[in-house]
Amino acid sequence: MVKQASVLADLESIVGRDHAGAPQDSYQVDGLAPQVAVRPGSYEEVANVLRYARSEGLAVIPWGGGTMMHAGNVPSRYDIALSLSRLDQLIEHEPADLTVTCQAGMALTQLQRHLGASGQLLPLGPFPEAEATIGGILAANASSAVRYAYGAPRDVTIGLRVVTADGHLTRAGGKVVKNVAGYDLCKLYIGSLGTLGVIVEATFKVAPVPKAQSAVSLAFPTPAAACSFGTELLRRGLSLRAMQLLGPLRDSAIPWRLDLDLAGSPLAVQRSQKEITALAAGGVASPVTPDAGQTAPATLACKLSVLPSQLPTLIARLTELDDLPAIEALPTIGVLRASWTQIDDAEATLERVRSIASTLNTSCIVERCPIELKRKIDVFGDAPPSFDLMRRVKEQFDPTSVLSPGRFLGRL
């Protein structure tokens, strides 16, 4: 192992003395701390850091705002924290083409402020953490309830610039909406947790800021009733931007709440709100005022994905557990997050959740759990039939395991 003082001196020669130093606690990942933290100021500096790490057999983990670092398995090695905080500039915005290009270290909130001045927005988020960066969101494939209308990060990303593990600056996709011939590498990098390359720049499709917006919250006695209502709204093609099911609400006679976000032209939003109100007035739901919701951090959190038609069954099984989870679900998409703030035996509860997922032939990804449990499991669950292909992709892109080793599925 190269000594820390030597690594620090070598990296200072690449990024400058002011931008390399002994790591702070804020750069820990699952209790592991790197030898050195660096903040490159250019793509070439990122490439040089990776070339150096590869030549010395050092492991690098890219950092954005640090809000998604709980995702993935415990790293098998960790020597250099590669912060993209200095790569935070807007590169190009073409309002007429509905496209924007920015560096990966830019915070989503900062990008939204710029786009908002032109009456546009990037249809990702919002996320609870204001520090969430473009690169981190893409690396974790993080999404929110607005994917109902706009899709996930893979659906709005049209181009990336990525530095590979051997220090080459590459481009995937482009800067126009229809630009891909053959396999779209953007979809490979997004969600890979920085194990295949370091995203340094991204180009997106943007959307107009809706001229009118409104919110409706409805209470339902059962998750099945809420999901059925959501399916009916989808069938009617209303001006909905987001739909999220929350529950079970404690101390409430009607324990399930469906939050609807309406957006579009004023007449379309008005018509949609009237239609939703009329449909709910048939006795299937009642209007409610949403509360602040759960704010305590989760001790255990799992993400499950099923066919939308299976979602009520999945929720029913989860609410039979001794430790009742808080549930957030996207009814028309089939994505569900179950979380526990206080739990006696996280390992036993997770075993039961994974058993439920297995009976429904669905995936269960552990997003948060106690570090002692995380060291014993693969947070992604059992390897799928495609794992051998995934392993060969990792070997091609990063044969010496420089980038985030061990964090992805199967500890790739």
Side-chain angles (χ1 to χ4, degrees), residues 9 43 45 60 86 101 105 131-132 152 160 177 197 202 213 215 240 285 294 309 340 344 346 395:
Y43 304 162
E45 287 184 359
V60 178
R86 294 174 65 204
T101 301
E131 301 85 3
L160 295 175
V177 174
Q213 300 181 57
L240 282 171
Q294 176 180 306
S309 59
W340 295 258
D344 295 328
E395 290 173 352

Side-chain angles (χ1 to χ4, degrees), residues 73-142:
N73 288 310
V74 177
S76 58
R77 297 183 294 120
Y78 185 19
D79 302 299
I80 301 173
L82 178 63
S83 170
L84 301 176
S85 59
R86 294 174 65 204
L87 299 177
D88 62 351
Q89 300 301 303
L90 182 78
I91 302 298
E92 184 178 39
H93 178 208
E94 295 290 348
D97 295 333
L98 293 176
T99 62
V100 67
T101 301
C102 67
Q103 293 182 321
M106 176 176 272
L108 176 63
T109 51
Q110 181 184 354
L111 179 59
Q112 298 288 34
R113 284 195 295 270
H114 171 84
L115 294 173
S118 299
Q120 296 178 342
L121 58 83
L122 178 61
L124 296 176
F127 298 103
E129 306 88 354
E131 301 85 3
T133 63
I134 294 300
I137 292 167
L138 295 179
N141 193 30

